[in-house]
Amino acid sequence: MKQQWRAAKRMVIKLGSSLLVEPESQALKTQWLATLIDDIAAQAEKGREMVIVSSGSVALGRKKLGFAPGRLKLEEGQAAAAVGQIELARAYQQLLAERGLKAAQVLLTLGDTEERRRYLNARSTINALLKLGVVPVVNENDTVATSELRYGDNDRLAARVATMISADILVLLSDVDGLYTGVPGRDPKARHIPEVRQITPEIAAMAGGIGTDFGSGGMVTKVEAARMATSGGTHMVITSGQVEHPLQALEAGARSTWFYADGDPVTARKRWIAATLQPRGVLTIDEGAAQALLAGNSLLPAGITALEGDFDRGDAVRIIDAQGCELGRGLAAYAAEDAAQIIGHKSSEIEAILGYAGRTAMVHRDDMVILGKAKTGKRKTTETES
Ligand code: GLU
């Protein structure tokens, strides 16, 4: 058993629609689900706090409402979610109760995690439930979510929830047993990758093209979830849920891909920044600034070559290099309008340009996370924060 698993106190288990719902009849696979709940109860028995992130509401509801296969209109999807979610909740409540556990339903809307105040509120609710020994069952509130305002897939929602509550491990139960170098079945040379210590562009590229059309998350969203989880301090593992007792199987060494979080503790504030789903802007930086960032320094205006977006002071922005590769995320110390005037300039010139003395850094290191676990100290520092 992995040391990370042994040490884990709090786990988030995410399961997708394709595991929960029979493709033909679109009925809930209650028998399989019962084996997973057995496993969850066994982990809870060992003193672990367990959170479930479950999809399936739309798939279950559309059957009940008799919708034909294919794309649903927004309001049809919302109606299907409302009908399916109540069935889902009932199944979890019953299966958990049979094992002596209490269930709680938590439905989240994008703003509940993107806005700091609401994020803190959602976090304290889930923490309170866990303290009370309850198993929260989380899903997106699809009944009110619209296409612009939604998580869209439960892989990223699960990563958001896992880092929000400082979970030690996020388990993605999927219809694939991990990440491969190619598409298994189609590419004879496709090799399984058991461990990922850094999410490089090569790793992200491997994720392309693998997925099912049933749930909304293919491998791309899983790697994106891994990036969010690991940079927020949570290890993530993808394994097959197509077996009975999938957590027992994982413990016994079933095939899986582990994405490891850095050992360094991540502050609560940085966890929030790392998993921002809708950054408001983009800062492009030069090589010198990229090296400074990776070495743990703040981002100074001098190293920024371009900016996009209409962000305000305090909004989250993406930080990319000249090749467009995302290096990190952080909170802007200046609104876009002011930022546009000071980029490329020395920090000592800020006051003369803007007419007030603002912060030296465009994104302070305390307000920034480096994504993909690029380790500090690998590159040399060429710039230091004044
Ligand atoms: N929230 C959606 C549902 O419950 C599923 C999204 C997903 O599977 O990624 O139906």
Side-chain angles (χ1 to χ4, degrees):
M1 204 193 299
K2 295 251 181 216
Q3 164 223 331
Q4 287 83 353
W5 183 277
R6 243 195 329 260
K9 293 197 177 67
R10 190 173 272 195
M11 292 182 181
V12 175
I13 314 295
K14 182 263 169 181
L15 49 159
S17 301
S18 61
L19 296 176
L20 265 174
V21 181
E22 204 76 61
E24 289 286 299
S25 66
Q26 292 205 309
L28 188 64
K29 294 192 205 166
T30 319
Q31 215 178 321
W32 172 82
L33 187 57
T35 73
L36 171 65
I37 305 296
D38 277 342
D39 290 2
I40 287 177
Q43 296 299 333
E45 183 71 19
K46 288 183 198 162
R48 294 199 162 110
E49 294 172 327
M50 305 298 285
V51 175
I52 299 171
V53 174
S54 178
S55 309
S57 66
V58 177
L60 287 173
R62 67 185 296 154
K63 182 206 168 205
K64 274 234 155 100
L65 294 174
F67 291 137
R71 233 182 129 75
L72 296 176
K73 287 200 212 112
L74 173 65
E75 61 275 18
E76 288 173 342
Q78 291 173 323
V83 170
Q85 185 62 36
I86 204 164
E87 185 178 343
L88 209 53
R90 193 180 57 143
Y92 280 109
Q93 186 188 43
Q94 193 176 334
L95 290 168
L96 285 162
E98 283 166 11
R99 288 150 188 86
L101 291 167
K102 293 188 188 78
Q105 172 169 269
V106 179
L107 297 179
L108 294 175
T109 322
L110 190 63
D112 291 328
T113 56
E114 298 304 275
E115 281 175 36
R116 180 91 180 140
R117 194 176 46 80
R118 287 165 68 184
Y119 171 91
L120 295 176
N121 181 42
R123 184 175 77 176
S124 59
T125 306
I126 299 181
N127 279 337
L129 289 166
L130 290 172
K131 273 216 184 72
L132 292 164
V134 176
V135 179
V137 181
V138 182
N139 196 0
E140 175 155 20
N141 193 354
D142 292 311
T143 299
V144 292
T146 57
S147 45
E148 312 82 60
L149 274 179
R150 71 180 322 136
Y151 298 97
D153 65 83
N154 279 10
D155 295 324
R156 294 183 315 148
L157 168 64
R160 194 62 164 132
V161 168
T163 58
M164 173 167 86
I165 60 167
S166 308
D168 303 294
I169 294 182
L170 164 62
V171 181
L172 295 189
L173 295 177
S174 174
D175 47 9
V176 284
D177 53 11
L179 185 64
Y180 286 79
T181 55
V183 182
R186 247 186 280 162
D187 176 359
K189 291 206 292 286
R191 204 166 35 78
H192 177 261
I193 302 171
E195 295 188 330
V196 176
R197 292 191 181 271
Q198 191 173 338
I199 303 168
T200 57
E202 293 74 40
I203 292 287
M206 281 170 200
I210 312 173
T212 63
D213 51 14
F214 210 27
S216 41
M219 200 45 88
V220 174
T221 69
K222 291 187 171 49
V223 170
E224 176 60 21
R227 199 195 282 273
M228 289 163 62
T230 55
S231 52
T234 298
H235 304 297
M236 191 186 102
V237 55
I238 305 175
T239 194
S240 172
Q242 287 182 318
V243 292
E244 297 203 331
H245 295 289
L247 296 185
Q248 233 181 63
L250 182 63
E251 267 190 342
R255 186 176 265 204
S256 60
T257 300
W258 278 82
F259 295 82
Y260 297 114
D262 256 334
D264 311 341
V266 180
T267 63
R269 183 176 170 77
K270 287 202 176 189
R271 284 176 193 272
W272 177 63
I273 298 169
T276 320
L277 284 158
Q278 292 189 322
R280 300 270 169 221
V282 185
L283 305 177
T284 308
I285 66 173
D286 64 21
E287 176 60 21
Q291 292 187 4
L293 246 56
L294 296 177
N297 294 303
S298 297
L299 174 61
L300 304 182
I304 303 170
T305 55
L307 65 82
E308 264 174 57
D310 183 22
F311 51 88
D312 241 323
R313 198 169 153 232
D315 279 345
V317 291
R318 297 171 59 222
I319 303 166
I320 64 172
D321 65 14
Q323 286 73 45
C325 176
E326 183 167 353
L327 300 174
R329 281 181 191 193
L331 305 182
Y334 292 90
E337 212 176 302
D338 287 355
Q341 297 184 59
I342 59 171
I343 61 171
H345 289 277
K346 288 209 184 79
S347 299
S348 55
E349 297 171 321
I350 294 176
E351 189 168 356
I353 298 170
L354 296 180
Y356 66 88
R359 289 183 82 165
T360 327
M362 178 64 204
V363 181
H364 192 271
R365 60 169 174 244
D366 292 345
D367 295 337
M368 175 163 56
V369 280
I370 300 299
L371 297 177
K373 297 204 303 113
K375 294 270 194 296
T376 55
K378 264 195 188 156
R379 303 203 203 181
K380 280 214 186 82
T381 315
T382 56
E383 188 184 8
T384 48
E385 186 192 353
S386 58

